[in-house]
Amino acid sequence: MPPDPPGLDGPESSPVLGLLSRGLEFWVRQQCRAIENLEIRLEGTALQLLRGRLAAVSLRARGVVYQELELKEVELRGEEMRVRMGKLLRQQHLELENPFLVRGRIRFSGEGLNRSLAHPNWSWLGDQLAEDLLGIRPLQVLSIRGDQVILQARSGGADSMSLERAVALEAREGTVEVKSVDHGQVCRLPLDPAIKLEWAEVGCGYLDLGGIGTINP
């Protein structure tokens, strides 16, 4: 992520700024099942804030569970946001007026990604990876060893067999292409059309994904 641009002072410097910061934090936490740490930075002038306009919002979070995906770290920056300040001033919930673009990075640990793919919401994706890249299913374990992602799967039935294979990840045409390192099989992950991935990196036991997306409040 690029260095933070000049922004506003902390929430204590302005009642309106504090109200808006707390409203945004509450809204973000509502979207997630869990967040361990959350930092929000607002950018814009006092007049823009009073009119419910934000030049940009930067967010950094750790220990996030979003739609049952375990995210080690999240760094996002959204621009040109509009907020219904009247509702906030009446101590009602925050309401965003417009879809807005977000650019950022998410980090998975191997353990968190393995637990995510074992969850019923995402087990279909793990099984698809196993079938396309190893030829058997279901996926048993996904792990990250250094700069490699390792898939392990075991077939059922009387002729049960297990396989382990290293795979490489690459951002391609807005999504992630997963390719067997030694055998050439390829699986392209299905993504929400509102998300476009621009890069993917594996290293030091983590998977980092970066790109842009559209948030529709």
Side-chain angles (χ1 to χ4, degrees):
M1 293 283 290
D4 287 335
L8 295 160
D9 295 333
E12 68 280 358
S13 65
S14 162
V16 174
L17 178 59
L19 183 65
L20 187 50
S21 179
R22 290 191 296 273
L24 281 169
E25 179 175 348
F26 182 72
W27 183 82
V28 169
R29 289 186 180 277
Q30 279 188 313
Q31 312 307 308
C32 304
R33 185 163 66 80
I35 301 179
E36 290 180 7
N37 300 102
L38 175 62
E39 298 177 10
I40 293 178
R41 180 183 176 87
L42 309 181
E43 297 173 30
T45 66
L47 182 59
Q48 286 175 325
L49 289 173
L50 285 171
R51 291 175 175 173
R53 296 180 180 273
L54 287 171
V57 175
S58 298
L59 176 153
R60 294 183 180 182
R62 294 176 59 86
V64 177
V65 180
Y66 175 71
Q67 296 184 354
E68 304 309 328
L69 288 174
E70 294 189 24
L71 312 176
K72 182 73 173 180
E73 297 176 3
V74 179
E75 296 183 17
L76 300 175
R77 176 181 167 82
E79 300 183 349
E80 300 298 331
M81 300 168 60
R82 295 195 299 273
V83 178
R84 294 186 185 275
M85 287 299 297
K87 288 196 171 186
L88 270 182
L89 293 172
R90 293 192 296 271
Q91 297 185 342
Q92 298 177 11
H93 68 279
L94 177 139
E95 186 174 320
L96 299 173
E97 291 187 346
N98 64 311
F100 54 94
L101 289 178
V102 171
R103 180 179 296 276
R105 172 186 72 89
I106 59 175
R107 164 168 285 187
F108 294 91
S109 68
E111 297 84 358
L113 188 53
N114 184 60
R115 286 191 295 267
S116 299
L117 293 178
H119 190 277
N121 286 12
W122 297 101
S123 59
W124 64 269
L125 180 56
D127 291 347
Q128 180 180 330
L129 286 169
E131 186 167 4
D132 290 352
L133 298 170
L134 285 77
I136 59 175
R137 58 188 299 168
L139 179 71
Q140 282 191 304
V141 179
L142 179 148
S143 58
I144 300 177
R145 302 174 189 168
D147 60 355
Q148 285 192 325
V149 175
I150 309 296
L151 303 180
Q152 295 173 279
R154 176 183 292 274
S155 62
D159 298 325
S160 176
M161 63 179 296
S162 62
L163 287 176
E164 177 179 299
R165 191 159 291 169
V167 299
L169 285 78
E170 180 181 0
R172 186 181 294 274
E173 298 180 1
T175 186
V176 176
E177 187 175 273
V178 187
K179 184 176 182 179
S180 171
V181 172
D182 297 323
H183 296 77
Q185 293 97 330
V186 174
C187 178
R188 184 166 290 187
L189 301 185
L191 288 185
D192 187 318
I195 299 173
K196 181 180 179 181
L197 290 181
E198 297 177 319
W199 55 269
E201 295 179 357
V202 179
C204 301
Y206 295 104
L207 165 62
D208 290 320
L209 301 175
I212 59 176
T214 300
I215 303 295
N216 290 289

